[in-house]
Protein backbone atom coordinates (compact mmCIF):
# COMPACT_ATOMS: atom_id res chain seq x y z
CA UNK A 1 0.00 0.00 0.00
CA UNK A 2 1.48 3.43 -0.82
CA UNK A 3 2.48 5.33 2.33
CA UNK A 4 0.61 8.44 1.17
CA UNK A 5 -2.83 6.82 1.49
CA UNK A 6 -2.55 6.53 5.27
CA UNK A 7 -1.55 10.09 6.06
CA UNK A 8 -4.24 11.23 8.43
CA UNK A 9 -4.12 8.23 10.71
CA UNK A 10 -0.47 8.18 11.59
CA UNK A 11 -0.65 10.17 14.89
CA UNK A 12 3.02 11.04 15.09
CA UNK A 13 3.99 13.73 17.59
CA UNK A 14 7.31 15.52 18.00
CA UNK A 15 8.46 17.71 20.87
CA UNK A 16 11.62 19.77 20.72
CA UNK A 17 12.91 23.21 19.89
CA UNK A 18 11.65 25.69 17.34
CA UNK A 19 14.25 28.39 17.16
CA UNK A 20 16.26 31.00 15.39
CA UNK A 21 19.66 29.91 14.07
CA UNK A 22 22.79 31.70 12.99
CA UNK A 23 24.97 29.47 10.84
CA UNK A 24 28.52 30.03 9.68
CA UNK A 25 30.08 27.72 7.11
CA UNK A 26 33.52 28.11 5.52
CA UNK A 27 31.87 29.60 2.40
CA UNK A 28 28.75 31.45 3.60
CA UNK A 29 26.66 32.39 6.57
CA UNK A 30 22.99 32.79 7.42
CA UNK A 31 21.65 34.87 10.27
CA UNK A 32 18.31 34.61 12.03
CA UNK A 33 17.01 31.67 9.99
CA UNK A 34 14.35 29.20 11.10
CA UNK A 35 15.81 26.22 12.94
CA UNK A 36 15.33 23.99 15.93
CA UNK A 37 15.16 20.24 16.31
CA UNK A 38 11.36 20.12 16.23
CA UNK A 39 11.07 22.35 13.17
CA UNK A 40 13.48 20.25 11.13
CA UNK A 41 11.98 16.96 12.28
CA UNK A 42 8.40 18.01 11.58
CA UNK A 43 9.19 19.35 8.11
CA UNK A 44 10.84 16.04 7.18
CA UNK A 45 8.14 13.82 8.69
CA UNK A 46 5.42 15.82 6.93
CA UNK A 47 6.35 14.13 3.64
CA UNK A 48 4.91 10.90 5.07
CA UNK A 49 1.77 12.19 6.76
CA UNK A 50 0.41 14.46 9.45
CA UNK A 51 2.84 15.35 12.24
CA UNK A 52 1.85 17.04 15.47
CA UNK A 53 4.29 19.59 16.81
CA UNK A 54 4.74 20.49 20.49
CA UNK A 55 7.13 23.36 21.16
CA UNK A 56 7.23 26.82 22.67
CA UNK A 57 8.48 30.02 21.08
CA UNK A 58 8.62 33.55 22.44
CA UNK A 59 6.73 36.62 21.33
CA UNK A 60 9.76 37.55 19.23
CA UNK A 61 9.28 34.54 16.89
CA UNK A 62 9.10 36.05 13.39
CA UNK A 63 5.86 35.70 11.42
CA UNK A 64 7.87 34.73 8.35
CA UNK A 65 9.21 31.66 10.22
CA UNK A 66 5.71 30.68 11.34
CA UNK A 67 4.54 30.92 7.73
CA UNK A 68 7.42 28.72 6.61
CA UNK A 69 6.40 26.03 9.10
CA UNK A 70 2.79 26.22 7.98
CA UNK A 71 3.83 25.90 4.34
CA UNK A 72 4.48 22.22 5.11
CA UNK A 73 0.97 20.87 4.67
CA UNK A 74 1.43 17.88 6.97
CA UNK A 75 2.49 19.96 10.00
CA UNK A 76 -0.17 20.37 12.69
CA UNK A 77 0.99 23.41 14.65
CA UNK A 78 -1.82 23.52 17.24
CA UNK A 79 0.85 22.57 19.79
CA UNK A 80 3.17 25.46 18.92
CA UNK A 81 2.78 27.68 21.97
CA UNK A 82 3.69 31.35 21.78
CA UNK A 83 4.66 32.34 25.32
CA UNK A 84 3.90 35.89 26.32
CA UNK A 85 6.98 37.85 27.29
CA UNK A 86 9.17 34.86 26.40
CA UNK A 87 12.25 34.74 24.20
CA UNK A 88 12.60 32.20 21.39
CA UNK A 89 15.37 29.57 21.61
CA UNK A 90 18.34 30.64 19.55
CA UNK A 91 21.49 28.83 18.55
CA UNK A 92 24.63 29.64 16.60
CA UNK A 93 26.73 26.98 14.90
CA UNK A 94 30.04 27.26 13.07
CA UNK A 95 31.30 24.55 10.70
CA UNK A 96 34.97 23.77 10.44
CA UNK A 97 36.63 23.33 7.03
CA UNK A 98 35.37 20.11 5.44
CA UNK A 99 32.01 20.66 7.19
CA UNK A 100 32.24 17.36 9.06
CA UNK A 101 32.38 18.97 12.47
CA UNK A 102 30.95 22.07 14.04
CA UNK A 103 31.13 24.14 17.19
CA UNK A 104 28.22 25.76 18.97
CA UNK A 105 28.89 29.51 19.08
CA UNK A 106 26.02 30.14 21.52
CA UNK A 107 22.88 28.50 22.87
CA UNK A 108 20.24 30.80 24.34
CA UNK A 109 17.52 28.58 25.72
CA UNK A 110 14.90 31.31 26.28
CA UNK A 111 11.49 29.63 26.69
CA UNK A 112 13.10 26.17 26.34
CA UNK A 113 14.76 26.71 29.72
CA UNK A 114 11.41 27.47 31.35
CA UNK A 115 8.38 25.20 31.89
CA UNK A 116 7.58 22.58 29.23
CA UNK A 117 5.20 23.55 26.43
CA UNK A 118 1.47 22.85 26.78
CA UNK A 119 0.32 19.66 25.03
CA UNK A 120 -3.09 20.04 23.35
CA UNK A 121 -5.61 17.49 24.70
CA UNK A 122 -6.25 16.24 21.17
CA UNK A 123 -2.63 15.07 20.96
CA UNK A 124 -2.85 12.68 23.92
CA UNK A 125 -3.80 9.74 21.68
CA UNK A 126 -0.53 10.01 19.72
CA UNK A 127 0.94 6.56 19.10
CA UNK A 128 4.35 7.48 17.70
CA UNK A 129 6.40 9.88 19.84
CA UNK A 130 9.67 11.52 18.95
CA UNK A 131 11.50 13.49 21.64
CA UNK A 132 13.77 15.75 19.60
CA UNK A 133 16.70 17.47 21.19
CA UNK A 134 15.93 19.44 24.34
CA UNK A 135 16.65 19.08 28.06
CA UNK A 136 16.16 15.38 28.99
CA UNK A 137 14.00 16.26 32.01
CA UNK A 138 11.61 18.06 29.68
CA UNK A 139 11.71 15.09 27.27
CA UNK A 140 10.72 12.84 30.20
CA UNK A 141 7.87 15.14 31.23
CA UNK A 142 6.65 15.13 27.63
CA UNK A 143 6.61 11.34 27.45
CA UNK A 144 4.07 11.24 30.30
CA UNK A 145 1.67 13.25 28.15
CA UNK A 146 1.24 10.45 25.60
CA UNK A 147 -0.26 7.42 27.35
CA UNK A 148 -1.29 5.71 24.05
CA UNK A 149 2.25 5.59 22.67
CA UNK A 150 3.34 2.41 20.92
CA UNK A 151 6.80 3.65 19.97
CA UNK A 152 8.89 6.37 21.60
CA UNK A 153 12.28 7.48 20.32
CA UNK A 154 14.58 10.20 21.67
CA UNK A 155 17.47 12.24 20.36
CA UNK A 156 20.13 13.87 22.51
CA UNK A 157 23.37 15.81 22.16
CA UNK A 158 26.70 16.62 23.79
CA UNK A 159 25.33 19.52 25.84
CA UNK A 160 22.79 17.31 27.65
CA UNK A 161 25.14 14.33 28.02
CA UNK A 162 27.51 16.66 29.86
CA UNK A 163 25.07 18.83 31.80
CA UNK A 164 22.06 16.58 32.47
CA UNK A 165 23.50 13.06 32.49
CA UNK A 166 21.31 11.66 35.30
CA UNK A 167 18.13 12.99 33.64
CA UNK A 168 19.23 11.46 30.36
CA UNK A 169 19.84 8.05 31.94
CA UNK A 170 16.41 8.19 33.56
CA UNK A 171 14.90 8.95 30.15
CA UNK A 172 16.76 6.07 28.48
CA UNK A 173 15.09 3.60 30.82
CA UNK A 174 11.72 4.69 29.39
CA UNK A 175 12.14 4.98 25.59
CA UNK A 176 12.18 2.34 22.85
CA UNK A 177 14.89 3.95 20.78
CA UNK A 178 17.70 6.51 20.82
CA UNK A 179 19.17 8.39 17.85
CA UNK A 180 22.51 10.12 18.36
CA UNK A 181 25.81 11.02 16.69
CA UNK A 182 28.86 8.80 16.88
CA UNK A 183 30.88 11.20 19.08
CA UNK A 184 27.89 11.56 21.40
CA UNK A 185 27.60 7.77 21.74
CA UNK A 186 31.27 7.72 22.65
CA UNK A 187 30.80 10.57 25.14
CA UNK A 188 27.82 8.83 26.77
CA UNK A 189 29.45 5.41 27.10
CA UNK A 190 33.19 6.15 27.08
CA UNK A 191 33.56 3.42 24.44
CA UNK A 192 35.38 4.24 21.22
CA UNK A 193 33.97 1.36 19.16
CA UNK A 194 30.60 2.23 17.69
CA UNK A 195 29.03 -1.21 18.13
CA UNK A 196 30.30 -1.54 21.72
CA UNK A 197 29.02 1.95 22.49
CA UNK A 198 25.59 1.15 21.03
CA UNK A 199 25.37 -2.15 22.90
CA UNK A 200 26.23 -0.32 26.10
CA UNK A 201 23.35 2.09 25.41
CA UNK A 202 20.99 -0.88 24.94
CA UNK A 203 21.97 -1.93 28.47
CA UNK A 204 20.70 1.48 29.64
CA UNK A 205 17.17 0.69 28.42
CA UNK A 206 16.26 1.22 24.74
CA UNK A 207 15.53 -1.65 22.33
CA UNK A 208 17.45 0.01 19.56
CA UNK A 209 20.04 2.72 18.95
CA UNK A 210 20.73 4.49 15.68
CA UNK A 211 24.22 5.96 15.61
CA UNK A 212 24.72 8.63 12.93
CA UNK A 213 28.16 9.08 11.42
CA UNK A 214 27.56 12.09 9.15
CA UNK A 215 28.89 11.50 5.64
CA UNK A 216 29.75 7.93 6.69
CA UNK A 217 26.13 6.93 7.14
CA UNK A 218 24.52 5.27 10.11
CA UNK A 219 24.45 2.07 12.11
CA UNK A 220 21.40 0.49 13.70
CA UNK A 221 22.06 -1.67 16.73
CA UNK A 222 18.84 -3.40 17.72
CA UNK A 223 18.27 -6.16 20.26
CA UNK A 224 17.40 -8.34 17.21
CA UNK A 225 20.24 -7.43 14.86
CA UNK A 226 22.64 -4.90 13.38
CA UNK A 227 22.35 -2.97 10.10
CA UNK A 228 24.57 -0.38 8.44
CA UNK A 229 23.73 2.12 5.72
CA UNK A 230 25.98 4.60 3.90
CA UNK A 231 25.00 8.24 3.51
CA UNK A 232 23.64 9.38 0.15
CA UNK A 233 26.68 10.57 -1.82
CA UNK A 234 25.84 14.29 -2.03
CA UNK A 235 27.62 16.70 -4.34
CA UNK A 236 25.93 19.83 -3.00
CA UNK A 237 26.57 20.51 0.66
CA UNK A 238 25.64 24.06 1.63
CA UNK A 239 24.72 23.64 5.31
CA UNK A 240 24.62 20.32 7.24
CA UNK A 241 22.44 21.83 10.01
CA UNK A 242 19.31 19.81 10.56
CA UNK A 243 20.63 16.70 8.84
CA UNK A 244 20.26 14.74 12.08
CA UNK A 245 16.79 16.01 12.88
CA UNK A 246 15.48 15.47 9.37
CA UNK A 247 17.07 12.01 9.29
CA UNK A 248 15.00 11.26 12.39
CA UNK A 249 11.92 12.88 10.83
CA UNK A 250 12.17 10.76 7.69
CA UNK A 251 12.80 7.64 9.74
CA UNK A 252 9.92 8.18 12.19
CA UNK A 253 7.59 9.46 9.46
CA UNK A 254 8.02 6.30 7.46
CA UNK A 255 7.76 4.06 10.56
CA UNK A 256 4.55 5.83 11.61
CA UNK A 257 3.00 5.69 8.14
CA UNK A 258 3.87 2.03 7.60
CA UNK A 259 2.95 1.12 11.19
CA UNK A 260 -0.42 2.84 10.91
CA UNK A 261 -1.14 1.05 7.63
CA UNK A 262 -0.24 -2.32 9.13
CA UNK A 263 -2.62 -1.79 12.07
CA UNK A 264 -2.32 -3.25 15.55
CA UNK A 265 -0.42 -6.47 16.04
CA UNK A 266 2.65 -5.44 14.02
CA UNK A 267 5.59 -4.13 16.01
CA UNK A 268 6.67 -0.74 14.56
CA UNK A 269 9.90 -0.93 16.56
CA UNK A 270 10.97 -4.29 15.12
CA UNK A 271 14.41 -4.63 13.57
CA UNK A 272 12.95 -4.86 10.03
CA UNK A 273 10.67 -1.86 10.51
CA UNK A 274 13.45 0.41 11.78
CA UNK A 275 15.96 -0.87 9.21
CA UNK A 276 13.63 -0.04 6.31
CA UNK A 277 13.02 3.44 7.70
CA UNK A 278 16.73 4.32 7.79
CA UNK A 279 16.70 4.72 4.01
CA UNK A 280 14.01 7.40 4.15
CA UNK A 281 15.88 9.21 6.92
CA UNK A 282 19.06 9.18 4.85
CA UNK A 283 17.34 10.49 1.72
CA UNK A 284 15.51 13.35 3.46
CA UNK A 285 18.71 14.40 5.25
CA UNK A 286 20.52 14.50 1.90
CA UNK A 287 18.05 17.12 0.66
CA UNK A 288 18.22 19.20 3.85
CA UNK A 289 21.94 19.90 3.47
CA UNK A 290 21.49 21.34 -0.02
CA UNK A 291 20.44 24.72 1.45
CA UNK A 292 20.36 26.74 4.66
CA UNK A 293 17.44 26.18 7.02
CA UNK A 294 14.36 24.48 5.53
CA UNK A 295 14.89 26.06 2.09
CA UNK A 296 15.41 22.86 0.13
CA UNK A 297 12.64 20.97 1.91
CA UNK A 298 10.19 23.76 1.07
CA UNK A 299 10.78 23.07 -2.61
CA UNK A 300 10.61 19.31 -2.25
CA UNK A 301 7.78 16.98 -3.29
CA UNK A 302 7.05 13.43 -2.22
CA UNK A 303 7.85 12.39 -5.78
CA UNK A 304 11.38 13.84 -5.39
CA UNK A 305 11.80 11.85 -2.18
CA UNK A 306 10.65 8.61 -3.79
CA UNK A 307 12.85 9.15 -6.82
CA UNK A 308 15.98 9.62 -4.74
CA UNK A 309 14.95 6.72 -2.50
CA UNK A 310 14.79 4.44 -5.54
CA UNK A 311 18.17 5.71 -6.72
CA UNK A 312 19.67 5.20 -3.25
CA UNK A 313 18.20 1.68 -3.02
CA UNK A 314 19.86 0.65 -6.24
CA UNK A 315 23.17 2.25 -5.17
CA UNK A 316 23.22 0.28 -1.94
CA UNK A 317 22.15 -3.08 -3.35
CA UNK A 318 24.84 -5.69 -3.04
CA UNK A 319 24.88 -8.72 -5.30
P1 LIG B 1 21.20 18.94 13.84
O1 LIG B 1 22.07 19.65 12.85
O2 LIG B 1 20.24 17.98 13.20
O3 LIG B 1 21.96 18.33 14.96
O4 LIG B 1 20.25 20.03 14.53
C1 LIG B 1 20.44 21.40 14.41
C2 LIG B 1 19.31 22.15 15.08
O5 LIG B 1 19.26 21.84 16.48
C3 LIG B 1 19.47 23.63 14.95
O6 LIG B 1 18.44 24.15 14.15
C4 LIG B 1 19.41 24.17 16.40
O7 LIG B 1 18.50 25.24 16.56
C5 LIG B 1 18.98 23.00 17.23
N1 LIG B 1 19.75 22.91 18.47
C6 LIG B 1 21.04 23.25 18.68
N2 LIG B 1 21.39 23.04 19.97
C7 LIG B 1 20.29 22.53 20.59
C8 LIG B 1 20.02 22.10 21.93
N3 LIG B 1 20.94 22.15 22.89
N4 LIG B 1 18.78 21.62 22.21
C9 LIG B 1 17.86 21.54 21.23
N5 LIG B 1 18.04 21.94 19.96
C10 LIG B 1 19.25 22.43 19.63
Amino acid sequence: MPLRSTLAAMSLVVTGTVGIDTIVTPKAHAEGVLGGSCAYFAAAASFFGAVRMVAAVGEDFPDAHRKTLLSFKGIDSAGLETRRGGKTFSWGGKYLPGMNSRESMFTELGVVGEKPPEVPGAYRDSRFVFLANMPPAVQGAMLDQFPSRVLSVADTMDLWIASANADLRALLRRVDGLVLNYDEAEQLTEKANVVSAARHILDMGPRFVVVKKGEHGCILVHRDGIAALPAYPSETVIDPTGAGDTFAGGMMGSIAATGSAAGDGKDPGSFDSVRRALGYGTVIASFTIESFSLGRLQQLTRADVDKRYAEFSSMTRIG
Side-chain angles (χ1 to χ4, degrees):
M1 185 186 296
L3 295 176
R4 201 74 187 162
S5 65
T6 55
L7 292 193
M10 89 182 189
S11 79
L12 168 63
V13 69
V14 54
T15 73
T17 54
V18 170
I20 302 173
D21 285 352
T22 293
I23 309 295
V24 179
T25 74
K27 285 198 176 148
H29 71 278
E31 215 165 311
V33 295
L34 173 61
S37 56
C38 184
Y40 274 114
F41 178 98
S46 75
F47 288 93
F48 301 86
V51 50
R52 299 163 165 178
M53 156 185 277
V54 178
V57 292
E59 271 182 314
D60 56 348
F61 188 60
D63 270 348
H65 290 356
R66 198 180 296 272
K67 284 202 185 98
T68 299
L69 281 177
L70 294 177
S71 72
F72 291 90
K73 295 288 171 259
I75 295 183
D76 173 349
S77 66
L80 180 63
E81 178 194 336
T82 304
R83 202 164 286 168
R84 284 186 63 182
K87 218 174 160 316
T88 301
F89 173 83
S90 75
W91 175 77
K94 182 177 179 183
Y95 287 86
L96 307 176
M99 300 233 262
N100 290 317
S101 51
R102 75 177 178 212
E103 295 165 349
S104 288
M105 297 185 293
F106 60 86
T107 304
E108 288 170 15
L109 292 180
V111 291
V112 169
E114 301 166 5
K115 62 177 178 144
E118 293 282 335
V119 178
Y123 284 12
R124 283 181 65 82
D125 64 357
S126 299
R127 298 172 68 229
F128 301 91
V129 180
F130 189 76
L131 305 166
N133 231 322
M134 60 176 180
V138 180
Q139 290 176 305
M142 284 289 136
L143 203 54
D144 296 330
Q145 308 284 323
F146 306 109
S148 306
R149 62 186 182 271
V150 293
L151 187 77
S152 59
V153 180
D155 188 358
T156 195
M157 69 185 293
D158 51 358
L159 175 67
W160 311 124
I161 296 170
S163 67
N165 201 278
D167 291 342
L168 178 60
R169 283 168 189 266
L171 178 75
L172 291 179
R173 288 194 283 275
R174 303 183 57 210
V175 291
D176 297 290
L178 180 70
V179 179
L180 78 178
N181 289 333
Y182 170 63
D183 48 349
E184 294 158 352
E186 194 179 342
Q187 183 189 359
L188 178 60
T189 62
E190 294 176 359
K191 291 196 187 301
N193 177 281
V194 62
V195 180
S196 310
R199 285 200 198 285
H200 193 91
I201 295 171
L202 295 188
D203 290 339
M204 297 177 186
R207 296 164 61 196
F208 65 88
V209 182
V210 180
V211 183
K212 297 167 290 173
K213 299 181 80 182
E215 65 173 343
H216 302 297
C218 65
I219 292 175
L220 164 68
V221 178
H222 192 287
R223 285 197 195 149
D224 297 324
I226 296 184
L229 206 64
Y232 178 82
S234 294
E235 259 187 296
T236 312
V237 184
I238 302 293
D239 171 22
T241 308
D245 301 313
T246 53
F247 171 90
M251 179 187 107
M252 285 298 284
S254 79
I255 289 177
T258 316
S260 303
D264 293 335
K266 283 269 183 204
D267 174 12
S270 70
F271 175 66
D272 283 338
S273 165
V274 181
R275 184 169 57 94
R276 261 196 309 271
L278 299 180
Y280 279 105
T282 300
V283 163
I284 296 268
S286 77
F287 284 113
T288 304
I289 65 178
E290 291 178 7
S291 77
F292 283 106
S293 187
L294 293 171
R296 181 66 181 97
L297 295 194
Q298 273 190 286
Q299 312 297 325
L300 202 64
T301 64
R302 178 58 197 259
D304 297 328
V305 175
D306 289 340
K307 185 164 171 261
R308 189 171 287 186
Y309 185 86
E311 189 195 344
F312 185 57
S313 298
S314 71
M315 275 179 191
T316 51
R317 195 167 299 132
I318 298 176

